[in-house]
Amino acid sequence: MTTENSTATTAAAAKPTHGRFNLAEAAPAVYKAMIGLEIASRQGMDPALLELVKIRVSQINHCAFCIDMHTKDARKAGESEDRIYLLNAWEEATGYYTEKEQAALALAEAITVLTGGTSQTKFGGGFVPDAVYERAARHFEEKELAQLIAAIIAINSWNRISVTTRAIPGSYQPQG
């Protein structure tokens, strides 16, 4: 390792990962429960599809830490640069995503934003439209759909934790 690489590695290791506080340290039981939800939601799911969903939800929620993490994980899982770059406009990126991936991304957006339907809450949100849910249900068996919904809920929770604690992007490195 050169001195330059050694200095860069030391600087990266010294770089703080949270601007406000670290949830794992401040509330270890909550963090452990979140890890449990994360692990449970992945069971039986295509890892590459989950990374696409996690990136898209993190884009919507403006979570730089999670975008950084999940683009790195997607690359490690073999995802192409084009598909990662085009996620923000997946509906217009004809030919890049399968029908199943499009259904998952549409469901992820609907669950994240909750703007569907004609009935609005006093806070402006709504619910997941039937058409979006039915589209996903055509591509996922019930168990897999339940896992996908749980994964979308988990990444939304992680995004809110990271945005609130001001998790700092750049330090995450994929495992293995």
Side-chain angles (χ1 to χ4, degrees):
M1 181 183 291
T2 66
T3 305
E4 183 179 300
N5 286 344
S6 177
T7 303
T9 302
T10 303
K15 183 179 180 181
T17 58
H18 293 80
R20 290 184 171 152
F21 68 90
N22 183 326
L23 183 77
E25 295 170 3
V30 172
Y31 184 78
K32 184 178 179 180
M34 283 297 302
I35 293 294
L37 173 60
E38 179 68 30
I39 291 168
S41 71
R42 290 186 206 165
Q43 294 177 358
M45 295 297 296
D46 173 8
L49 173 67
L50 286 180
E51 293 307 327
L52 292 175
V53 165
K54 290 175 183 184
I55 294 167
R56 183 63 192 122
V57 170
S58 298
Q59 289 171 336
I60 294 167
N61 288 327
H62 303 279
C63 184
F65 182 86
C66 295
I67 293 169
D68 175 62
M69 172 186 282
H70 296 294
T71 54
K72 288 174 180 175
D73 285 345
R75 285 183 186 107
K76 185 175 180 211
E79 194 55 71
S80 75
E81 294 297 311
D82 287 345
R83 285 171 37 100
I84 292 170
Y85 297 147
L86 291 170
L87 264 176
N88 205 34
W90 65 268
E91 290 175 301
E92 290 78 29
T94 307
Y96 281 88
Y97 305 99
T98 67
E99 286 292 322
K100 185 173 184 175
E101 290 168 338
Q102 291 176 39
L105 292 167
L107 183 63
E109 289 184 0
I111 291 172
T112 300
V113 181
L114 291 177
T115 59
T118 57
S119 174
Q120 298 291 313
T121 69
K122 66 180 179 177
F123 301 109
F127 50 87
V128 175
D130 290 341
V132 173
Y133 177 83
E134 290 164 5
R135 179 181 183 187
R138 285 193 301 271
H139 294 280
F140 295 90
E141 293 180 17
E142 188 172 289
K143 182 181 182 334
E144 190 179 22
L145 183 57
Q147 294 296 123
L148 176 60
I149 292 167
I152 294 165
I153 291 166
I155 189 58
N156 269 286
S157 296
W158 284 120
N159 288 168
R160 281 149 176 78
I161 290 167
S162 294
V163 169
T164 303
T165 63
R166 293 198 178 151
I168 300 168
S171 62
Y172 174 80
Q173 293 302 316
Q175 300 299 310

